[in-house]
Amino acid sequence: GNTTTLREWLREKIHKYGKTESSDEIMRRVTGESLNIKHYINYIKDKYGRIYNLSFDTKEASLTCKA
């Protein structure tokens, strides 16, 4: 697909600051917060939950298969 819009956004918001700001400073400027592992964990749970038909119990951190 066409990645021109994404590439331009990355240049404007991320790449041009690579030598003048730390990764955390860039992350906070772009997203409003520091790197948050909770977002990544939610992404992984959603992605692999859909692929493998899994259900996650967030209170007990357990994993069950819906099959």
Side-chain angles (χ1 to χ4, degrees), residues 3-67:
T3 60
T4 302
T5 303
L6 173 60
R7 193 172 58 247
E8 289 173 1
W9 185 90
L10 287 169
R11 274 194 199 121
E12 178 65 27
K13 305 291 184 185
I14 308 293
H15 298 156
K16 80 177 191 178
Y17 297 100
K19 292 184 179 183
T20 60
E21 294 182 0
S22 69
S23 299
D24 189 57
E25 288 170 325
I26 294 171
M27 181 70 118
R28 282 187 279 127
R29 183 176 38 76
V30 171
T31 67
E33 66 178 315
S34 294
L35 184 62
N36 185 335
I37 193 67
K38 291 178 185 179
H39 299 302
Y40 181 67
I41 290 171
N42 288 338
Y43 163 75
I44 293 295
K45 285 179 177 181
D46 182 59
K47 178 179 180 175
Y48 291 101
R50 290 174 191 242
I51 292 172
Y52 297 108
N53 197 29
L54 302 172
S55 174
F56 298 92
D57 183 351
T58 56
K59 292 181 181 178
E60 297 183 22
S62 63
L63 173 66
T64 57
C65 183
K66 296 179 190 174

